[in-house]
Amino acid sequence: MDIVPLIAAKGSVGVTTAALTLAAVWPEGRGAPVVVECDPGGGDVAARFGLEVIPGVVSLAAELERFGPAGPGDQVGGHTQELPGGLRVLVAPTSPEEMRLPLERLAEDLPRLALGEVDLIVDCGRLEASAMRQRTAVLRLIQRCGLMVVVVRPELAALQHLNVWLPTLRSLDVAILALLSGRGPYSPEEIAQTMDLRVIGALPHDRAAADVVGGASGSRPDRSALFRAARPAGAAIAAVLGRSLSAPVAPPPLAAAVP
């Protein structure tokens, strides 16, 4: 099992849609992944698809608190719910306060769980301002995973926010991949060169496909531009997971304005 955390800096959106879409197009050789909501601001999936919040991250955290990461049975799978299209999701409550304790537990124990060949795609929401001053639960989780995917708009404001965060993110000593969300004036090549980031793809804003990414009855999101763009991004992530993750090379100084 590998864990793939997705997170966005201020000014960027679409992390939940990106996580669900990547799960839907995940390379077949890696099995069907589970999407886990670890957004400190609360989850969206339960409300979006009319699900209860239990089972989910709250019930998993309670089991981990009681038994630890070596408890009986399939500790993650036993707390998932299935979306109409078959995706399995570990949903979170919408309240940030209700997420606080479960997230602290998952940050400690989620990377220790062994679940065969099932990968976890973790929706970490947006970076919290407090994370600039301390290692929050989300940053501790990411550090234990060895990899992160940053979802960012290819627009100046969002890229500048990400640029401010990069020293903190690089201090985690993990592989950092960038996934662009929507259109902007800067190409993936420009962003990769200027910010010294590996850009694995660009997801278009496809509202119709995003609305049915969970597999609503009668929908064919697999034919959408969103899914077509997500497939090579998923393959790029899988390629990184398929080899040992090494510490990133220290980047050269960046220009004052990005890009």
Side-chain angles (χ1 to χ4, degrees), residues 1-62:
M1 176 188 72
D2 287 295
I3 303 178
V4 182
L6 272 67
I7 199 163
K10 181 179 178 182
S12 299
V13 296
V15 181
T16 301
T17 295
L20 292 172
T21 304
L22 286 172
V25 301
W26 204 236
E28 292 183 2
R30 297 194 63 88
V34 171
V35 176
V36 183
E37 289 194 290
C38 285
D39 187 342
D44 299 321
V45 172
R48 182 171 167 183
F49 291 95
L51 305 175
E52 300 293 333
V53 297
I54 293 178
V57 298
V58 172
S59 57
L60 174 60

Side-chain angles (χ1 to χ4, degrees), residues 45-213:
V45 172
R48 182 171 167 183
F49 291 95
L51 305 175
E52 300 293 333
V53 297
I54 293 178
V57 298
V58 172
S59 57
L60 174 60
E63 180 177 316
L64 292 171
E65 182 70 25
R66 182 178 179 184
F67 296 107
D74 178 353
Q75 286 183 286
V76 172
H79 299 274
T80 62
Q81 297 187 56
E82 188 171 303
L83 299 185
L87 292 180
R88 289 192 297 156
V89 182
L90 204 65
V91 300
T94 57
S95 165
E97 182 59 29
E98 291 181 84
M99 274 299 293
R100 185 174 59 84
L101 292 178
L103 188 53
E104 288 288 339
R105 173 54 59 189
L106 293 181
E108 296 298 323
D109 289 341
L110 195 61
R112 302 175 186 175
L113 298 178
L115 195 64
E117 297 300 318
V118 178
D119 296 322
L120 304 181
I121 300 177
V122 184
D123 173 3
C124 294
R126 299 187 187 187
L127 285 163
E128 306 169 89
S130 58
M132 294 288 285
R133 303 184 299 274
Q134 61 181 329
R135 291 289 165 87
T136 62
V138 165
L139 289 192
R140 296 198 305 274
L141 173 61
I142 290 171
Q143 190 169 33
R144 291 183 173 97
C145 296
L147 166 75
M148 69 182 305
V149 178
V150 180
V151 181
V152 61
R153 291 183 184 273
E155 300 172 351
L156 183 58
L159 293 170
Q160 286 179 329
H161 283 300
L162 176 56
N163 188 44
V164 170
W165 274 100
L166 279 178
T168 298
L169 300 181
R170 286 186 167 122
S171 73
L172 301 177
D173 198 28
V174 303
I176 303 175
L177 308 177
L179 179 61
L180 306 185
S181 174
R183 294 182 179 180
Y186 306 109
S187 69
E189 293 75 19
E190 288 178 291
I191 295 169
Q193 181 176 10
T194 304
M195 302 185 72
D196 192 34
L197 284 172
R198 180 178 176 186
V199 179
I200 60 171
L203 302 183
H205 283 313
D206 188 340
R207 183 176 297 275
D211 287 343
V212 296
V213 71

